[in-house]
Amino acid sequence: MIMRELRKDVTDLLLKRVGRIRLSFVFLRVALLVLSAIAGWAAIEQSSPTDPHSIWPFLGKSACVLIFVVALTLLFGDGDPAAELKKAHIALDKAEELELYRPHVDANLHEISRLNYLLVSIQAMRSVIEQALRKNISNCDAIIQIMFATAKRTLPISINFDISDEWTICVYKAEYKTNAPDDLKCIAHNRAIDCELDKARTWAEGVGVAGICYANRREVIVPDLRADNLGNLFNVDANQRTYDETRYRSFAVVPILLDTNSKPWGVVVATSSKPGHFSPHSEPGLNTAEAVRILAGMIALAIVGCETASRNGP
């Protein structure tokens, strides 16, 4: 469509140019005819002068000068239409070449938009952490919930969730136990299908994708939880619900690590109903799991700040 419009615009310009050239030639030919007549009549009058004060000699000389100017205009004044046409064709060829890259440019624009939303989310969450540090707030759960609220709209876009997807972004905090597996309790969430925070499931250490990520202290990326090759690897036992098979297909789970030796503070879990939404492999543009990793890092930063405020006291 763009090339068709461009060709039409160039053609219209060239036609206008040709029209102006045609009118110029008509005018110049008429001018040459008139000036030649004046010059010829002046020469006749000059050859048989009857009035010493006759104006014809002056008119003859003036006509000769004007004829010379018109001739120069015809020779140099109107440029080279062939050269201009060649430039127009070069411009069209360049436009056609650029048109081939348009799909890639459009795709990159979407990725740039996602990256922009991610940066906006980071800035908003950083602002929450800074305010908490200034006010010496030591309630980590409350700060994380405020961080989620400030990035409620922008963070899902950066993860490339679509309006038709059923998705979740959750933060699970570990409840440490001495003689039993730790539990992971949801303390903040953002969901396409909202629910009360106290209705969110608790996951035991080693159970489900979140529990396995926590137990191994490593991120877990699952393109499709229902893939045949996974078998019962992420069996959730009695914690399973009837809608899990359609609502939770693709996972990105990242541990929240405060140091290299201790257990994770918790995990960040992002899920999508679209198989393949998250992938452990590199992909063009911003990897959908990257925002989850950054969120885990921002939460770790907030927790360290809270602990520092708690040690310093009011």
Side-chain angles (χ1 to χ4, degrees):
M1 181 63 70
I2 292 178
M3 284 303 305
R4 190 179 301 117
E5 293 174 355
L6 184 59
R7 287 184 181 279
K8 183 179 181 300
D9 291 342
V10 171
T11 301
D12 290 343
L13 289 173
L14 290 174
L15 289 175
K16 289 179 181 178
R17 178 67 171 161
V18 170
R20 287 195 298 268
I21 294 172
R22 185 181 296 113
L23 289 175
S24 299
F25 272 105
V26 170
F27 172 76
L28 292 175
R29 285 169 183 154
V30 172
L32 281 174
L33 181 63
V34 173
L35 293 174
S36 298
I38 294 174
W41 186 261
I44 294 171
E45 288 292 325
Q46 191 175 9
S47 62
S48 56
T50 57
D51 183 2
H53 302 291
S54 175
I55 197 174
W56 287 107
F58 172 75
L59 290 177
K61 295 176 181 178
S62 300
C64 291
V65 172
L66 290 175
I67 291 172
F68 180 74
V69 172
V70 171
L72 288 178
T73 303
L74 282 173
L75 185 60
F76 301 109
D78 210 36
D80 185 1
E84 294 180 5
L85 184 60
K86 183 178 180 181
K87 290 179 181 178
H89 281 297
I90 292 174
L92 285 174
D93 291 340
K94 179 62 69 174
E96 286 183 348
E97 182 180 343
L98 293 175
E99 185 77 5
L100 296 175
Y101 292 98
R102 186 180 177 186
H104 304 286
V105 172
D106 291 342
N108 288 333
L109 286 176
H110 175 68
E111 296 304 314
I112 291 171
S113 176
R114 285 182 55 212
L115 180 59
N116 180 62
Y117 279 109
L118 179 57
L119 293 175
V120 170
S121 301
I122 294 171
Q123 186 175 9
M125 291 187 289
R126 186 197 67 184
S127 178
V128 172
I129 296 172
E130 289 174 349
Q131 291 294 326
L133 290 174
R134 290 193 188 100
K135 297 177 181 179
N136 215 30
I137 298 174
S138 58
N139 187 337
C140 296
D141 294 6
I143 294 174
I144 294 170
Q145 289 165 5
I146 297 172
M147 290 168 62
F148 260 62
T150 58
K152 182 179 179 65
R153 188 182 72 86
T154 56
L155 193 58
I157 298 175
S158 70
I159 305 177
N160 206 27
F161 288 139
D162 191 77
I163 193 171
S164 62
D165 297 340
E166 295 179 5
W167 52 266
T168 66
I169 309 170
C170 304
V171 176
Y172 287 87
K173 179 181 179 180
E175 294 182 341
Y176 302 114
K177 297 182 179 180
T178 304
N179 298 318
D182 298 337
D183 282 337
L184 294 171
K185 182 179 180 181
C186 186
I187 62 164
H189 62 178
N190 188 3
R191 301 171 182 263
I193 302 175
D194 204 7
C195 75
E196 297 297 327
L197 190 60
D198 57 4
K199 297 293 192 299
R201 281 173 276 189
T202 297
W203 295 96
E205 180 180 359
V207 177
V209 185
I212 290 177
C213 171
Y214 175 81
N216 294 332
R217 302 180 73 255
R218 292 197 302 268
E219 72 172 42
V220 178
I221 308 294
V222 183
D224 186 1
L225 192 62
R226 308 303 162 194
D228 294 336
N229 62 324
L230 292 180
N232 295 323
L233 179 61
F234 298 107
N235 183 28
V236 296
D237 299 326
N239 223 7
Q240 188 168 8
R241 296 180 181 173
T242 56
Y243 49 76
D244 285 353
E245 289 193 6
T246 57
R247 190 176 295 182
Y248 304 109
R249 295 294 297 269
S250 190
F251 284 75
V253 188
V254 180
I256 301 170
L257 300 172
L258 305 185
D259 57 58
T260 57
N261 297 317
S262 62
K263 286 185 174 183
W265 184 91
V267 296
V268 176
V269 180
T271 71
S272 171
S273 59
K274 183 186 297 183
H277 186 84
F278 297 104
S279 173
H281 308 296
S282 60
E283 54 190 28
L286 181 65
N287 190 290
T288 49
E290 194 60 40
V292 185
R293 300 183 184 107
I294 291 175
L295 177 59
M298 295 295 293
I299 291 172
L301 178 62
I303 295 166
V304 171
C306 289
E307 293 180 347
T308 302
S310 179
R311 286 194 298 268
N312 293 339

